[in-house]
Amino acid sequence: MEETLTHGKCSALVIGGSAGSLDVLLEIFPNLSTRINFPIIIVTHRKAGNDSLLADLLKNRTSLMVREAEEKEKLLPGYVYIVPADYHLLIENSHTISLDYSEKVNYSRPSIDVTFQSAAEVFKNELVCILLSGSNADGVEGLLAVKKYGGLAVVQDPQTAIMPYMPQQALNNAKPDVILDSLKMAAFINELINK
């Protein structure tokens, strides 16, 4: 599949993952350009109590600004926002963050579907969403919404995933635009800068 963005500029990138996705994130972030000119939101399934662990791990591997997302915070280019454990993250039309404690979706809070769908409604064809390794189907409905609004749906090649179930479900049900080997993700993200 062609590994270039054909639909226009990228105004936001959302990366979702569950079991096995941390390894991919730790591969991606040391190789990201310092010229990233869009916000990056990371939604992973994790237990409450480990709140700063992921942010700390990524801060040590990138020169981008990494922070735990906060209520009513404005999304800024070049910043990486980690969705807090036990909250859904939605994006308002004003490009501010809304944290939500409503019911779990796909047994998960935060839910990848919730953030992908919310971002799709706001950023439409200027959104890129990447779904990584995981062991449930969270993210599939979200990728369908991304495609409906004209955004770019990207899925980790299940053959490179520690837990291939999640990306395989997306391949089966969401017909992603791009399938990426985990080792090529950083280069793909860096290419989005020029769009």
Side-chain angles (χ1 to χ4, degrees):
M1 228 177 238
E2 193 59 38
E3 291 172 13
T4 56
L5 184 64
T6 56
H7 78 302
K9 74 176 220 166
C10 175
S11 292
L13 169 65
V14 185
I15 303 174
S18 188
S21 63
L22 178 60
D23 291 1
V24 183
L25 293 170
L26 296 179
E27 277 175 17
I28 292 171
F29 273 82
N31 298 304
L32 289 185
S33 168
T34 55
R35 296 185 307 110
I36 294 284
N37 57 355
F38 44 82
I40 300 174
I41 300 164
I42 298 177
V43 195
T44 58
H45 299 159
R46 57 207 178 105
K47 292 182 173 61
N50 297 348
D51 263 17
S52 65
L53 184 63
L54 180 57
D56 290 344
L57 282 170
L58 294 181
K59 275 180 193 168
N60 292 329
R61 286 169 170 78
T62 182
S63 54
L64 298 172
M65 295 294 295
V66 179
R67 54 186 299 131
E68 196 83 25
E70 294 181 9
E71 177 71 15
K72 300 298 177 211
E73 186 170 15
K74 180 98 172 161
L75 293 172
L76 297 172
Y79 277 69
V80 180
Y81 300 90
I82 313 287
V83 179
D86 225 20
Y87 286 93
H88 297 307
L89 182 142
L90 299 113
I91 299 161
E92 305 289 345
N93 286 327
S94 59
H95 296 185
T96 55
I97 290 167
S98 176
L99 298 177
D100 179 75
Y101 193 69
S102 60
E103 288 181 20
K104 293 183 177 184
V105 177
N106 282 313
Y107 310 102
S108 306
R109 189 175 53 229
S111 160
I112 299 165
D113 277 336
V114 167
T115 302
F116 277 8
Q117 288 168 339
S118 174
E121 290 169 12
V122 172
F123 291 105
K124 299 186 172 48
N125 67 337
E126 295 183 2
L127 175 68
V128 179
C129 286
I130 302 177
L131 188 64
L132 304 177
S133 173
S135 56
N136 73 11
D138 194 16
V140 174
E141 291 297 320
L143 287 180
L144 287 168
V146 171
K147 289 179 66 74
K148 173 184 161 190
Y149 284 96
L152 197 74
V154 182
V155 171
Q156 180 180 355
D157 184 338
Q159 294 182 344
T160 70
I162 293 172
M163 299 296 284
Y165 186 84
M166 184 180 280
Q168 189 62 55
Q169 289 301 302
L171 286 186
N172 295 349
N173 299 295
K175 308 272 186 292
D177 303 295
V178 181
I179 302 163
L180 275 184
D181 181 309
S182 58
L183 296 173
K184 295 182 177 174
M185 286 193 184
F188 175 83
I189 293 167
N190 288 337
E191 281 178 21
L192 301 176
I193 297 167
N194 304 316
K195 300 297 175 186

